[in-house]
Amino acid sequence: MARKDKEQDSENPGRLKQIALTYRMTRRNDRWIGWIISAVGLGTFGVVLAIGFLIGHPIYLGILGFLVALLTTAIVFGRRAERAAFSQMEGQPGAAAAVLENMRRGVSFTPAVAINRNQDVVHRAVGKFGVVLVGEGNPNRLRTLMAAEKRRMNRAISEVPVHDVIVGRGEGQVELKKLRSTILKYPRVLGGPRVTEVNDRLRAMGDLMSNMPLPKGPMPKGMRLPKGGGSPRRGR
């Protein structure tokens, strides 16, 4: 018992510290966050307490109002913190990969399945929606890179739907904060076992990182990626 209490006490400071760090990060992009969550919490508590006085149960409704205020404040804070995090990540290399890596279970993510010398990169997500190729970089170059990757995948999964998404704020692109919801809106066309099968086939084909013979240690300055940005061709 004493051991469990000590473990809980050691976890609480970590959680509080994490909340504090999240708040400071959010405040750098949302300077009104403190006032907003305070207004939401006090407003919610005040409304529920007022209802308690009207029906003659201020104590019960006051306790309920406090709990509801905490919940509402946590929801509002979480959403604004997420928005602030996306604002900081947007435009940074690998931002889309970070979003894909944290998607829910049932989605298999493989980073940098294709890349070119201009550092335009394509990631792959496999789930019940089929396959989604997510590109970061110049839209025109990415379309060529994605088309090449689709042709490569077509040899193994020609019957599986493949969607492509380019992250950005331009026409026909998807904002980083909407990437997750956009992918999850695609129709579910594959069952669980089929998803595993598709993912195994694609992994068996390899990707840029597994096929390229990278030396150990720092990358040599003169090293160049293969032309076309796709995976190195295999010998017949």
Side-chain angles (χ1 to χ4, degrees), residues 11-27 33 37 73-74 77-78 81:
E11 288 178 0
N12 288 333
R15 291 175 183 172
L16 294 175
K17 185 177 180 180
Q18 185 178 9
I19 293 173
L21 289 172
T22 303
Y23 176 80
R24 287 197 291 269
M25 180 275 293
T26 306
R27 196 169 185 276
I33 181 64
I37 60 176
T73 302
F77 174 65

Side-chain angles (χ1 to χ4, degrees), residues 49-220:
L49 183 61
I51 295 174
F53 277 107
L54 288 175
I55 64 176
H57 295 286
I59 296 177
Y60 297 129
L61 269 295
I63 296 173
L64 178 62
F66 177 74
L67 297 175
V68 172
L70 283 179
L71 178 61
T72 307
T73 302
I75 293 173
V76 173
F77 174 65
R79 289 182 177 177
R80 298 189 76 91
E82 184 179 34
R83 189 184 306 171
F86 281 129
S87 298
Q88 289 188 355
M89 291 167 57
E90 196 163 12
Q92 299 295 325
V99 174
L100 293 170
E101 192 172 12
N102 287 283
M103 289 189 69
R104 67 187 183 187
R105 294 178 61 183
V107 178
S108 178
F109 164 59
T110 305
V113 294
I115 189 171
N116 59 24
R117 62 181 61 192
N118 298 105
Q119 303 302 309
D120 303 308
V121 62
V122 176
H123 312 294
R124 183 179 69 221
V126 181
K128 292 184 178 181
F129 43 74
V131 180
V132 178
L133 296 177
V134 179
E136 295 184 272
N138 181 277
N140 295 324
R141 294 193 297 260
L142 280 172
R143 290 188 182 95
T144 302
L145 203 58
M146 287 178 163
E149 183 63 19
K150 282 183 178 180
R151 288 194 298 270
R152 193 178 76 92
M153 292 191 305
N154 191 55
R155 292 178 293 178
I157 55 164
S158 58
E159 72 284 5
V160 177
V162 179
H163 312 278
D164 53 85
V165 175
I166 297 178
V167 177
R169 292 195 171 186
E171 185 177 355
Q173 300 177 22
V174 175
E175 293 184 33
L176 183 66
K177 63 183 180 181
K178 296 180 180 179
L179 177 59
R180 176 190 171 95
S181 60
T182 298
I183 292 176
L184 295 178
K185 283 179 182 178
Y186 288 124
R188 298 185 177 187
V189 295
L190 302 179
R194 184 67 174 135
V195 172
T196 302
E197 179 187 347
V198 170
N199 196 41
D200 289 343
R201 284 188 185 183
L202 292 174
R203 286 181 174 176
M205 291 181 63
D207 51 54
L208 180 65
M209 294 304 180
S210 61
N211 287 333
M212 182 176 292
L214 294 176
K216 295 181 179 180
M219 182 178 291

